[in-house]
Amino acid sequence: MAVAVLLAVSLAVLVVVEQLEQADKFAYSANTQRILTYLRLNGPILLLNFGSLCTLAGFTRTDVLELRIGNLIGNTCGMTYFLFNRLMPPFTWASVFGMTNAYNIYRILEERSDRVVLSREEQLLYEEHFLHHGVTPRQFKIIYEKSAVRKVPKGEIIIRANAPLDYVYLVVGGKTEASILGRHLTYASSLPGNCVRQKGGDR
């Protein structure tokens, strides 16, 4: 699909440029004729520069989706330029980069889609700990499905300082305490409202 779209755009622009080359056969005003002549002579290079600007703009964005889109537009413009000038090796490489960007755009859009069903418990957990950190529902679902619930008896030590960790722990109920060099530090908790009801800091 992505290959077909990229090729269709490139061929469409190529056809337009070729039509401009036949502009002398038609009766246009002087100004229109000058514009058509300019586009006929400089259209491909203008398109290539526009693609370069889009690629540069993409690299200035912090959102990876915007970066990919900018690169895809740049790839498409490059493909058109190379195809117009019959430069097949660069055209092939631009096509490969374009297809790669198109595929990754599709993956990002799928990952960011909201078509994920969360249970009430999952929804509460997501809103309390993940939503405000930019984690999407689909990303949260992947994390949740790889996790396991562990009930810890009161007073049991979960982790020790400087000990190697095999897992990342998230407290989703109750309260924990940490002690470093004899000082009791902040808790970790979950459930909506716990962060407000419980006091942090040394105690």
Side-chain angles (χ1 to χ4, degrees):
M1 179 85 179
V3 181
V5 172
L6 291 172
L7 287 176
V9 172
S10 299
L11 291 173
V13 176
L14 184 61
V15 169
V16 170
V17 174
E18 289 179 345
Q19 290 296 321
L20 290 175
E21 292 179 347
Q22 306 298 324
D24 292 335
K25 296 180 180 180
F26 301 93
Y28 294 108
S29 66
N31 288 335
T32 302
Q33 188 65 48
R34 281 195 292 269
I35 293 174
L36 292 176
T37 300
Y38 178 82
L39 291 177
R40 184 174 68 247
L41 297 175
N42 301 284
I45 194 66
L46 289 175
L47 186 65
L48 182 63
N49 280 282
F50 173 75
S52 298
L53 289 174
C54 290
T55 301
L56 177 62
F59 279 112
T60 65
R61 309 305 299 170
T62 56
D63 189 331
V64 67
L65 177 60
E66 296 175 356
L67 184 150
R68 291 286 186 182
I69 291 175
N71 279 314
L72 179 60
I73 297 174
N75 295 145
T76 305
C77 293
M79 288 169 58
T80 305
Y81 175 81
F82 297 135
L83 187 61
F84 175 77
N85 290 281
R86 309 297 193 270
L87 302 173
M88 299 315 295
F91 171 79
T92 302
W93 280 112
S95 301
V96 172
F97 294 142
M99 288 185 288
T100 302
N101 280 308
Y103 173 70
N104 281 287
I105 288 172
Y106 169 78
R107 288 185 58 190
I108 293 170
L109 291 175
E110 278 292 303
E111 187 176 88
R112 294 184 179 183
S113 68
D114 294 327
R115 292 177 294 180
V116 176
V117 178
L118 300 179
S119 66
R120 176 62 178 170
E121 178 185 356
E122 293 170 346
Q123 184 70 27
L124 291 175
L125 185 60
Y126 171 68
E127 292 177 355
E128 178 76 4
H129 290 286
F130 296 89
L131 175 62
H132 303 296
H133 295 285
V135 179
T136 66
R138 184 175 295 276
Q139 292 171 334
F140 165 76
K141 192 70 173 180
I142 293 173
I143 296 172
Y144 187 84
E145 290 176 349
K146 293 181 178 296
S147 65
V149 177
R150 175 185 174 189
K151 294 184 178 181
V152 181
K154 184 177 180 179
E156 180 176 327
I157 297 176
I158 300 176
I159 57 174
R160 296 181 181 275
N162 302 319
L165 293 177
D166 297 322
Y167 306 97
V168 174
Y169 293 94
L170 176 64
V171 180
V172 297
K175 181 174 64 174
T176 61
E177 294 181 350
S179 178
I180 300 179
L181 299 178
R183 299 182 63 192
H184 294 288
L185 305 179
T186 55
Y187 66 93
S189 68
S190 178
L191 299 183
N194 275 7
C195 292
V196 175
R197 290 194 297 266
Q198 300 186 34
K199 297 180 181 180
D202 298 347
R203 53 195 177 122

